[in-house]
Amino acid sequence: MPVKVSVIVPVYNPGIYIEDCISSLQRQSLPPDEFEVIFVDDGSTDETPARLDALAAEDPRMKVIHQENSGWSGKPRNVGIEASRGEFVMFVDNDDYLGDEALERMYDYGTANGADVVVGKMAGKNRGVPVELFRRNHPRATVENAPLIDSLTPHKMVRRAFLDRIGLRFPEGRRRLEDHVFIAEAYLRAENVSVLSDYVCYYHIRRDDGSNAGFERFDPVGYFKNLREALDVVEQYTEPGPVRDRLFRRWLRVEMVERLRARRLLNLPDDYRRELFGEIHEVVVERFGPGVAAGLQPTQQVIAALTAADRYDDVLAFAEWEAGVAPTAAPGDIEWHDGSLRIGFTAEYLSGGEPMLFPADAETTPLTDVPKDVTEAVRWVASETAARFGQATADLLLRERTSAAQYFQPVEITRETVPVGDGEEVRLVLRGTATVDPGVLPRDGAWDALVRVKSGGWTKECRLGPAPHEDRPTPHAGVVGDRPVLPYWTTPHGNLSLELGARGKRLGLGRVEPGDVTVSDDRFRVLLPVHVTGDSQVRLRFVSSRRILETPGTLSAGADRPGSVLEAVLPEDLSDGVWRVAVCPNPGSDQARFAGLPFALRVGGGSVLVTPVPGPGVALRLARRARRVLGTARRKVNSRIRTGGR
């Protein structure tokens, strides 16, 4: 019986790292009878074959094929394709995992847009993934209108009939870049490619033991021989000209120039560096015309020119200079506005830890000749960076700490040249204001703010911070929808992060003073350091030594000061005694929790007085008595359950 999607997983000695992959496949929202998973065990020698056989015996969606080791992932994927029954096939590596709704969303998006290839948003845990490609959804993407060529890993959903119609399969054997050959041809021959960017479909993981196949040091001769095969595919399906040059530029930039930059080059042993440089030099001279390097950014053009001229020592010296270049991003004003958080920041590049300086009167000049030395190369890069400053950008991204899923936030940018000294040199400063709507972030947890700076051939990210402790902005927590949101500064580094679903002391309610609380007749009113928009329903809890009472309340935006106003009617049976007060700002949420307020109500003689929180000993005794009140009822229920169980 046909299914919608066949997931193909090549497997070789993954150990425990396959467990996250298996769990994510079992959690898929696509109905169980609409997908299958085909594990192709490529001669594993660990306990994985037995693990997979046991899995297949208990889960009818899971199938296992065992074969002798083929040396790489191409043959297992091809075997999986031949065994598949799905309308689409989805390729997953055994140490990666999928978002819970990945198969359903990608299938629906692909069928809605008639796609032969569906590319799902990726998150990289300790490894790089494409970023620009996933700024927005691309229902009808091509290599000309979207940066598809930035994503050449095999982790795509591909229509099976399309593969059979054009006879496309992965190159086999122990080799590199088989995915580049396969995906490049798929992009160039597909009737349509759809890019889904509003949901993280694929989590690309770097193993803690560093044993991912792609991270093993490669033989440069074999690697660049395989790279030439990917270039052959481009030549076969494109005409000479700008499109081909732009596609070739991807391999020149990512697989060659980037390997010869800064710390990535300097950290390699010298003998390996020289061998790598030699092979890259041969490919650059042999395969790339002048139009390929001309479209690179300034720093990349310099490295490409020095490489083509076979000047290894200058490439190494340029890498030593470039290793000292890094971005910095300083926070500005941070404040709530209509349920969104506005985050101001400035960003620029540093060189050697100091603000980078550029010529004030720079004009763009094509790099027609190879720089005579590194000093001239650096001077040209500085001039080009300043002349192109109008193209420089800074983005703010929020990255979920546990999964590394990241999302661009809307940013307004201005560019400022800041004169230095006698005015012949300037700093290039980007000023941005990002608008963050916490309600659209997909899940609770810690989200780190990063700034991505693009200027002069550098595209680098840094944390937003540090913010000096003495003058850092301290915005209140907010309640957006039914989700508490806390902007905070990390310790000890002082970088900006958001905690979604914050609760307890993290909400900052300890800053409430007794003077912020008023009681009039049966009405209760508190000024809270919490941002809200409109009115929202909350839950109040009153705890004495003998009883716990709850009542609804309303949280409203403050009219004349930051924060909000909590109002409620006191419970009718609030008896004489001391009552601690707690509030739940999101009673309708699955993650609802009460947070204690730093005052108590003393009831007696027909009056209610607001007092500071009792001392630790008194508070502890009250808490113990309250727990006993609740615990007695729970023990009775649990006793009945245990007795019934026996």
Side-chain angles (χ1 to χ4, degrees):
M1 177 181 175
V3 294
K4 290 181 176 179
V5 182
S6 297
V7 182
I8 298 171
V9 186
V11 178
Y12 181 71
N13 287 353
I16 63 171
Y17 294 96
I18 199 172
E19 296 302 328
D20 285 342
C21 179
I22 292 172
S23 296
S24 77
L25 293 168
Q26 292 180 317
R27 291 195 305 268
Q28 288 302 300
S29 61
L30 197 64
D33 60 346
E34 294 184 358
F35 76 100
E36 64 179 357
V37 180
I38 303 172
F39 295 96
V40 183
D41 172 37
D42 197 39
S44 294
T45 58
D46 62 3
E47 298 177 355
T48 304
R51 169 72 175 100
L52 294 178
D53 288 340
L55 176 68
E58 66 186 27
D59 190 335
R61 297 171 297 179
M62 310 294 168
K63 299 174 176 58
V64 184
I65 299 173
H66 299 284
Q67 65 179 31
E68 292 185 1
N69 183 254
S70 67
W72 208 248
S73 300
K75 184 174 181 179
R77 292 193 188 108
N78 289 341
V79 169
I81 293 172
E82 298 306 323
S84 67
R85 299 178 295 124
E87 181 183 349
F88 284 83
V89 292
M90 174 76 193
F91 301 105
V92 177
D93 284 347
N94 61 192
D95 27 38
D96 298 334
Y97 59 91
L98 297 178
D100 292 355
E101 301 173 21
L103 297 183
E104 181 177 15
R105 286 179 179 247
M106 292 177 73
Y107 176 84
D108 289 347
Y109 195 66
T111 54
N113 293 294
D116 289 327
V117 181
V118 185
V119 185
K121 182 182 178 76
M122 302 178 72
K125 195 68 181 290
N126 298 320
R127 66 186 301 169
V129 297
V131 175
E132 296 299 328
L133 177 60
F134 300 120
R135 278 184 179 270
R136 61 177 181 85
N137 288 342
H138 297 268
R140 301 196 63 82
T142 69
V143 295
E144 297 185 49
N145 67 19
L148 280 178
I149 203 66
D150 286 352
S151 181
L152 290 175
T153 62
H155 315 117
K156 317 288 189 283
M157 186 177 285
V158 188
R159 192 180 296 273
R160 171 69 191 274
F162 163 69
L163 294 179
D164 291 342
R165 175 169 56 82
I166 69 172
L168 181 58
R169 295 293 187 270
F170 287 90
E172 297 184 1
R174 187 163 183 79
R175 50 162 295 132
R176 291 279 185 156
L177 303 180
E178 83 292 339
D179 47 357
H180 287 207
V181 175
F182 180 93
I183 296 297
E185 182 168 348
Y187 285 160
L188 292 170
R189 301 187 69 182
E191 292 186 8
N192 185 39
V193 179
S194 293
V195 180
L196 178 64
S197 301
D198 56 10
Y199 178 81
V200 179
C201 298
Y202 197 93
Y203 292 86
H204 207 17
I205 309 301
R206 182 169 188 172
R207 287 164 53 163
D208 294 335
D209 62 2
S211 296
N212 304 74
F215 284 97
E216 298 172 4
R217 183 178 295 177
F218 58 79
D219 165 40
V221 174
Y223 188 90
F224 288 101
K225 176 183 177 182
N226 296 151
L227 185 145
R228 288 175 172 89
E229 296 175 35
L231 302 181
D232 290 342
V233 169
V234 175
E235 288 188 344
Q236 182 176 356
Y237 295 106
T238 64
E239 297 294 328
V243 173
R244 179 183 292 180
D245 285 348
R246 185 162 65 249
L247 298 180
F248 274 0
R249 196 172 297 134
R250 185 268 174 210
W251 281 277
L252 174 60
R253 173 174 52 87
V254 177
E255 305 297 336
M256 302 179 200
V257 167
E258 290 300 317
R259 295 183 186 278
L260 300 177
R261 295 184 73 173
R263 292 294 174 194
R264 189 170 181 184
L265 178 67
L266 299 176
N267 289 340
L268 298 173
D270 185 63
D271 57 344
Y272 185 77
R273 276 196 310 237
R274 291 181 181 275
E275 183 181 10
L276 182 68
F277 176 84
E279 290 300 318
I280 291 174
H281 164 72
E282 286 192 13
V283 178
V284 170
V285 172
E286 169 192 321
R287 301 298 293 265
F288 298 143
V292 179
L296 295 172
Q297 293 296 315
T299 50
Q300 299 162 348
Q301 286 191 50
V302 165
I303 298 169
L306 294 174
T307 301
D310 202 17
R311 284 166 50 180
Y312 170 80
D313 290 340
D314 283 341
V315 168
L316 191 62
F318 191 80
E320 291 171 345
W321 168 75
E322 205 178 3
V325 176
T328 183
D333 293 335
I334 301 176
E335 58 187 10
W336 288 101
H337 183 76
D338 293 337
S340 294
L341 195 63
R342 289 186 175 176
I343 301 174
F345 64 90
T346 60
E348 63 181 312
Y349 274 101
L350 307 178
S351 180
E354 298 294 330
M356 203 166 179
L357 302 182
F358 303 87
D361 56 352
E363 295 182 359
T364 185
T365 305
L367 187 66
T368 54
D369 295 318
V370 183
K372 66 180 181 181
D373 54 30
V374 171
T375 299
E376 183 177 287
V378 170
R379 188 181 302 119
W380 181 79
V381 166
S383 181
E384 284 297 298
T385 301
R388 302 183 188 196
F389 186 50
Q391 303 169 21
T393 62
D395 287 295
L396 188 127
L397 297 94
L398 291 180
R399 180 177 296 165
E400 205 268 323
R401 195 173 295 168
T402 58
S403 69
Q406 59 188 19
Y407 294 84
F408 284 97
Q409 305 302 304
V411 177
E412 295 180 358
I413 288 290
T414 59
R415 302 170 183 87
E416 181 179 352
T417 56
V418 181
V420 177
D422 58 8
E424 292 186 2
E425 291 183 311
V426 295
R427 292 165 52 194
L428 305 180
V429 179
L430 294 162
R431 301 189 181 277
T433 301
T435 302
V436 176
D437 179 1
V440 303
L441 295 174
R443 58 184 172 186
D444 290 348
W447 292 78
D448 297 321
L450 297 97
V451 175
R452 179 178 172 87
V453 186
K454 295 179 65 176
S455 180
W458 296 289
T459 300
K460 296 176 181 285
E461 294 176 356
C462 64
R463 290 293 302 275
L464 179 52
H469 191 277
E470 58 275 9
D471 58 359
R472 66 177 54 159
T474 54
H476 295 324
V479 178
V480 180
D482 62 355
R483 175 188 277 173
V485 180
L486 174 68
Y488 71 98
W489 303 99
T490 61
T491 302
H493 300 294
N495 297 319
L496 181 67
S497 294
L498 303 182
E499 184 177 342
L500 273 63
R503 55 183 184 263
K505 293 181 179 179
R506 299 284 288 166
L507 288 172
L509 301 184
R511 289 180 280 175
V512 175
E513 301 287 343
D516 296 328
V517 187
T518 56
V519 179
S520 177
D521 296 327
D522 62 345
R523 303 292 299 179
F524 177 71
R525 187 175 188 271
V526 188
L527 302 178
L528 293 183
V530 175
H531 174 82
V532 296
T533 57
D535 295 343
S536 60
Q537 297 304 305
V538 300
R539 194 80 182 162
L540 283 166
R541 177 177 287 174
F542 299 84
V543 181
S544 74
S545 60
R546 296 183 300 275
R547 302 177 66 194
I548 295 177
L549 304 175
E550 290 190 7
T551 189
T554 302
L555 199 59
S556 307
D560 55 355
R561 55 175 283 179
S564 56
V565 178
L566 169 63
E567 293 186 286
V569 176
L570 292 174
E572 292 182 0
D573 47 353
L574 201 67
S575 56
D576 290 354
V578 176
W579 295 83
R580 290 294 309 272
V581 185
V583 61
C584 177
N586 57 335
S589 169
D590 293 337
Q591 303 297 322
R593 297 289 188 278
F594 281 87
L597 297 173
F599 60 86
L601 301 182
R602 187 179 296 275
V603 182
S607 65
V608 179
L609 299 177
V610 180
T611 67
V613 172
V618 176
L620 183 59
R621 287 195 298 273
L622 287 173
R624 286 173 176 169
R625 289 172 185 170
R627 283 197 294 269
R628 283 198 294 271
V629 171
L630 291 176
T632 300
R634 290 196 187 104
R635 282 195 296 273
K636 290 179 180 178
V637 172
N638 290 338
S639 176
R640 288 196 296 270
I641 293 172
R642 286 195 297 270
T643 302
R646 284 196 293 267

PDB file of all heavy atoms in Angstrom, residues 462-473:
ATOM      1  N   CYS A 462      27.643  37.393  16.764  1.00  0.00           N
ATOM      2  CA  CYS A 462      28.112  37.529  18.139  1.00  0.00           C
ATOM      3  C   CYS A 462      26.903  37.698  19.038  1.00  0.00           C
ATOM      4  O   CYS A 462      25.810  38.043  18.580  1.00  0.00           O
ATOM      5  CB  CYS A 462      29.079  38.702  18.287  1.00  0.00           C
ATOM      6  SG  CYS A 462      28.343  40.320  17.939  1.00  0.00           S
ATOM      7  N   ARG A 463      27.087  37.443  20.310  1.00  0.00           N
ATOM      8  CA  ARG A 463      26.016  37.675  21.272  1.00  0.00           C
ATOM      9  C   ARG A 463      25.779  39.169  21.423  1.00  0.00           C
ATOM     10  O   ARG A 463      26.689  39.986  21.255  1.00  0.00           O
ATOM     11  CB  ARG A 463      26.381  37.064  22.624  1.00  0.00           C
ATOM     12  CG  ARG A 463      26.388  35.541  22.641  1.00  0.00           C
ATOM     13  CD  ARG A 463      25.008  34.951  22.445  1.00  0.00           C
ATOM     14  NE  ARG A 463      24.080  35.416  23.461  1.00  0.00           N
ATOM     15  CZ  ARG A 463      23.944  34.864  24.662  1.00  0.00           C
ATOM     16  NH1 ARG A 463      24.671  33.817  24.996  1.00  0.00           N
ATOM     17  NH2 ARG A 463      23.072  35.343  25.531  1.00  0.00           N
ATOM     18  N   LEU A 464      24.550  39.537  21.755  1.00  0.00           N
ATOM     19  CA  LEU A 464      24.228  40.932  22.029  1.00  0.00           C
ATOM     20  C   LEU A 464      24.629  41.228  23.471  1.00  0.00           C
ATOM     21  O   LEU A 464      23.957  40.846  24.428  1.00  0.00           O
ATOM     22  CB  LEU A 464      22.742  41.192  21.819  1.00  0.00           C
ATOM     23  CG  LEU A 464      22.274  42.632  22.094  1.00  0.00           C
ATOM     24  CD1 LEU A 464      23.120  43.638  21.328  1.00  0.00           C
ATOM     25  CD2 LEU A 464      20.806  42.798  21.746  1.00  0.00           C
ATOM     26  N   GLY A 465      25.748  41.893  23.634  1.00  0.00           N
ATOM     27  CA  GLY A 465      26.325  42.170  24.937  1.00  0.00           C
ATOM     28  C   GLY A 465      27.849  42.144  24.804  1.00  0.00           C
ATOM     29  O   GLY A 465      28.383  42.027  23.695  1.00  0.00           O
ATOM     30  N   PRO A 466      28.566  42.276  25.915  1.00  0.00           N
ATOM     31  CA  PRO A 466      28.010  42.412  27.262  1.00  0.00           C
ATOM     32  C   PRO A 466      27.508  43.823  27.535  1.00  0.00           C
ATOM     33  O   PRO A 466      27.961  44.785  26.922  1.00  0.00           O
ATOM     34  CB  PRO A 466      29.207  42.077  28.158  1.00  0.00           C
ATOM     35  CG  PRO A 466      30.393  42.489  27.346  1.00  0.00           C
ATOM     36  CD  PRO A 466      30.037  42.209  25.908  1.00  0.00           C
ATOM     37  N   ALA A 467      26.570  43.909  28.476  1.00  0.00           N
ATOM     38  CA  ALA A 467      26.058  45.199  28.920  1.00  0.00           C
ATOM     39  C   ALA A 467      26.659  45.506  30.285  1.00  0.00           C
ATOM     40  O   ALA A 467      26.544  44.687  31.203  1.00  0.00           O
ATOM     41  CB  ALA A 467      24.534  45.160  29.019  1.00  0.00           C
ATOM     42  N   PRO A 468      27.321  46.653  30.445  1.00  0.00           N
ATOM     43  CA  PRO A 468      27.878  47.001  31.764  1.00  0.00           C
ATOM     44  C   PRO A 468      26.796  46.986  32.825  1.00  0.00           C
ATOM     45  O   PRO A 468      25.687  47.483  32.621  1.00  0.00           O
ATOM     46  CB  PRO A 468      28.438  48.415  31.546  1.00  0.00           C
ATOM     47  CG  PRO A 468      28.639  48.528  30.063  1.00  0.00           C
ATOM     48  CD  PRO A 468      27.565  47.692  29.443  1.00  0.00           C
ATOM     49  N   HIS A 469      27.101  46.419  33.973  1.00  0.00           N
ATOM     50  CA  HIS A 469      26.096  46.222  35.007  1.00  0.00           C
ATOM     51  C   HIS A 469      25.504  47.536  35.493  1.00  0.00           C
ATOM     52  O   HIS A 469      24.308  47.629  35.792  1.00  0.00           O
ATOM     53  CB  HIS A 469      26.706  45.456  36.183  1.00  0.00           C
ATOM     54  CG  HIS A 469      25.690  44.981  37.176  1.00  0.00           C
ATOM     55  ND1 HIS A 469      25.182  45.784  38.177  1.00  0.00           N
ATOM     56  CD2 HIS A 469      25.056  43.783  37.296  1.00  0.00           C
ATOM     57  CE1 HIS A 469      24.304  45.111  38.872  1.00  0.00           C
ATOM     58  NE2 HIS A 469      24.203  43.887  38.374  1.00  0.00           N
ATOM     59  N   GLU A 470      26.328  48.591  35.529  1.00  0.00           N
ATOM     60  CA  GLU A 470      25.874  49.825  36.158  1.00  0.00           C
ATOM     61  C   GLU A 470      24.836  50.578  35.339  1.00  0.00           C
ATOM     62  O   GLU A 470      24.020  51.324  35.887  1.00  0.00           O
ATOM     63  CB  GLU A 470      27.063  50.755  36.456  1.00  0.00           C
ATOM     64  CG  GLU A 470      27.883  51.133  35.222  1.00  0.00           C
ATOM     65  CD  GLU A 470      28.943  50.106  34.878  1.00  0.00           C
ATOM     66  OE1 GLU A 470      28.923  49.014  35.497  1.00  0.00           O
ATOM     67  OE2 GLU A 470      29.781  50.386  33.999  1.00  0.00           O
ATOM     68  N   ASP A 471      24.811  50.406  33.995  1.00  0.00           N
ATOM     69  CA  ASP A 471      23.848  51.176  33.207  1.00  0.00           C
ATOM     70  C   ASP A 471      23.081  50.328  32.196  1.00  0.00           C
ATOM     71  O   ASP A 471      22.583  50.836  31.210  1.00  0.00           O
ATOM     72  CB  ASP A 471      24.560  52.327  32.484  1.00  0.00           C
ATOM     73  CG  ASP A 471      25.672  51.837  31.562  1.00  0.00           C
ATOM     74  OD1 ASP A 471      25.892  50.610  31.498  1.00  0.00           O
ATOM     75  OD2 ASP A 471      26.318  52.671  30.913  1.00  0.00           O
ATOM     76  N   ARG A 472      23.001  49.036  32.441  1.00  0.00           N
ATOM     77  CA  ARG A 472      22.246  48.194  31.509  1.00  0.00           C
ATOM     78  C   ARG A 472      20.742  48.421  31.700  1.00  0.00           C
ATOM     79  O   ARG A 472      20.268  48.622  32.825  1.00  0.00           O
ATOM     80  CB  ARG A 472      22.578  46.718  31.724  1.00  0.00           C
ATOM     81  CG  ARG A 472      22.138  46.170  33.054  1.00  0.00           C
ATOM     82  CD  ARG A 472      22.413  44.684  33.218  1.00  0.00           C
ATOM     83  NE  ARG A 472      23.789  44.314  32.982  1.00  0.00           N
ATOM     84  CZ  ARG A 472      24.340  43.186  33.439  1.00  0.00           C
ATOM     85  NH1 ARG A 472      23.617  42.328  34.152  1.00  0.00           N
ATOM     86  NH2 ARG A 472      25.592  42.898  33.181  1.00  0.00           N
ATOM     87  N   PRO A 473      19.971  48.398  30.621  1.00  0.00           N
ATOM     88  CA  PRO A 473      18.515  48.528  30.749  1.00  0.00           C
ATOM     89  C   PRO A 473      17.945  47.300  31.452  1.00  0.00           C
ATOM     90  O   PRO A 473      18.442  46.187  31.280  1.00  0.00           O
ATOM     91  CB  PRO A 473      18.037  48.614  29.293  1.00  0.00           C
ATOM     92  CG  PRO A 473      19.140  48.013  28.486  1.00  0.00           C
ATOM     93  CD  PRO A 473      20.410  48.276  29.227  1.00  0.00           C
TER      94      PRO A 473
END
